[in-house]
Amino acid sequence: MKIIVTGGAGFIGSHLCKTLLANGHHVLCIDNFCDYYDPAIKRGNIREILDSDRFQLCEGDIRDRKFLNDAFRQPCDMVIHLAAMAGVRPSIENPVLYQDVNINGTVNILEQCRMSDIKHLIFASSSSVYGNNEKVPFSEDDPVDHPISPYAATKKAAELLCHTWHHLFGISCLALRFFTVYGPGQRPDLAIHKFTRRITNGEPIQIFGDGTSSRDYTYIGDIVDGIVRGIEYVQSRNLFEVVNLGESRTITLSELLETLEDELGMKAIRQNLPMQPGDVDRTFADISKAKRLLGYDPHTSFREGVRQFVAWYRAR
């Protein structure tokens, strides 16, 4: 198949593009290399596949409809839409930008699918849509009407838009809610990467809250496996479906730091601060639907995933 991957030079996107190429697909990567973090990192993510005759990079912004018209001229079988402004706290500082990229940009992608007669779409949603859900683990049937950050609200809005284009135009869509993805190549602004950098540099780590907040950390290889399984599933049906991709195990902030200290052989300097607006208390995925529909079966333990990340970090 020929698959368009938006945000294909990012952390998740670059891992996915490499796997798709290894599986024999043709990949058209769309990325605007924005400066949310150093664009050189994203260019490095895809450097090894730039010379592949089955990989094509189209550099541009999903808000630019003329650019998208040109990029979508070539026949493609499906779109995996990962491109977005990421991050909860930055979305509070600049909600208009997040609305523009994550909502308007998604409408542009959906419209390109409609006009290009592309009938299969995978959309990258987020566990943040659950807000401070009191019921655990979080199930796809739980209400998600109370997001606590603009980022979360844009992801829920984009899910609704995907449903609308499915209903009106027959685009088969699988919305995958990712739970805290980590591993080699992780973005530098995310906790595991940031904490590793600060510990190795002897700098203090800011701990927001008392260390009991928890996340369902999911290894990048397991996430990519879930997306790949989703390709086959969404291709063979006309549907709109929301599915969690997580590890289905929670790790507290204190446990995260202790694991990093063990793997690095260094102690963290801790600076305790109040909880930040927009941060949820915990995430915890019910993945029974992903197992049933996709055959999804994450197998990388948190400690092994952290060990792989640390090895990647040190090799750099």
Side-chain angles (χ1 to χ4, degrees):
M1 290 193 299
K2 185 159 190 177
I3 300 173
I4 294 176
V5 179
T6 72
F11 167 43
I12 298 174
S14 59
H15 278 273
L16 175 62
C17 286
K18 291 169 187 174
T19 299
L20 293 176
L21 291 172
N23 290 348
H25 299 298
H26 293 256
V27 176
L28 192 159
C29 167
I30 292 176
D31 208 294
N32 72 339
F33 297 93
C34 79
D35 61 359
Y36 177 70
Y37 59 95
D38 186 355
I41 294 173
K42 286 176 276 192
R43 295 192 185 278
N45 288 342
I46 58 171
R47 185 174 296 123
E48 68 188 73
I49 57 176
L50 280 174
D51 292 334
S52 169
D53 59 3
R54 288 184 286 107
F55 180 82
Q56 180 181 354
L57 173 63
C58 287
E59 187 169 343
D61 198 305
I62 60 171
R63 293 171 293 176
D64 183 343
R65 285 180 290 180
K66 183 180 182 305
F67 159 73
L68 287 178
N69 283 335
D70 292 338
F72 274 72
R73 284 189 195 281
Q74 37 202 309
C76 284
D77 298 289
M78 72 178 304
V79 174
I80 302 176
H81 179 34
L82 305 178
M85 285 301 300
V88 166
R89 294 172 195 162
S91 78
I92 297 172
E93 298 167 9
N94 197 350
V96 173
L97 174 62
Y98 278 69
Q99 176 269 329
D100 194 19
V101 175
N102 297 358
I103 298 178
N104 292 346
T106 296
V107 168
N108 289 343
I109 294 297
L110 288 166
E111 274 293 87
Q112 289 296 152
C113 287
R114 179 182 68 84
M115 292 185 293
S116 302
D117 199 33
I118 297 173
K119 293 297 188 182
H120 305 102
L121 172 77
I122 292 177
F123 169 65
S125 189
S126 166
S127 62
S128 66
V129 301
Y130 289 106
N132 273 320
N133 203 24
E134 293 184 2
K135 170 187 156 292
V136 292
F138 301 170
S139 167
E140 295 88 348
D141 295 327
D142 294 342
V144 288
D145 299 326
H146 301 95
I148 63 171
S149 71
Y151 171 72
T154 64
K155 283 296 185 180
K156 175 55 183 172
E159 287 184 2
L160 294 173
L161 290 165
C162 288
H163 179 271
T164 303
W165 262 251
H166 162 69
H167 174 74
L168 292 175
F169 309 116
I171 296 173
S172 188
C173 180
L174 180 64
L176 298 175
R177 291 175 177 168
F178 299 156
F179 280 69
T180 315
V181 189
Y182 75 103
Q186 188 188 42
R187 295 195 333 248
D189 61 300
L190 293 175
I192 290 175
H193 196 150
K194 184 164 55 178
F195 289 174
T196 298
R197 183 171 63 249
R198 287 186 168 273
I199 291 172
T200 55
N201 291 341
E203 299 170 350
I205 289 174
Q206 295 179 330
I207 305 298
F208 296 104
D210 61 4
T212 60
S213 62
S214 59
R215 297 290 181 268
D216 191 338
Y217 289 98
T218 316
Y219 189 68
I220 181 62
D222 291 327
I223 286 288
V224 169
D225 178 67
I227 298 171
V228 169
R229 290 174 180 274
I231 292 171
E232 182 178 348
Y233 183 76
V234 79
Q235 263 205 310
S236 59
R237 297 161 178 84
N238 182 16
L239 56 81
F240 172 82
E241 201 77 69
V242 177
V243 176
N244 290 336
L245 290 188
E247 182 69 22
S248 201
R249 181 190 171 202
T250 58
I251 302 292
T252 67
L253 186 53
S254 294
E255 288 177 280
L256 164 60
L257 279 173
E258 289 165 8
T259 304
L260 281 173
E261 288 175 330
D262 287 347
E263 294 302 321
L264 290 167
M266 302 174 70
K267 286 292 182 183
I269 304 168
R270 308 183 187 209
Q271 179 184 9
N272 288 93
L273 295 169
M275 283 287 284
Q276 295 290 288
D279 283 356
V280 298
D281 296 328
R282 61 187 170 185
T283 63
F284 187 0
D286 179 343
I287 58 172
S288 57
K289 187 175 182 180
K291 288 184 173 183
R292 185 177 74 254
L293 298 185
L294 309 181
Y296 174 69
D297 186 23
H299 58 271
T300 307
S301 70
F302 181 67
R303 181 168 291 275
E304 177 57 29
V306 169
R307 186 171 296 140
Q308 293 291 334
F309 172 81
V310 168
W312 169 83
Y313 183 88
R314 284 178 162 158
R316 292 171 66 245

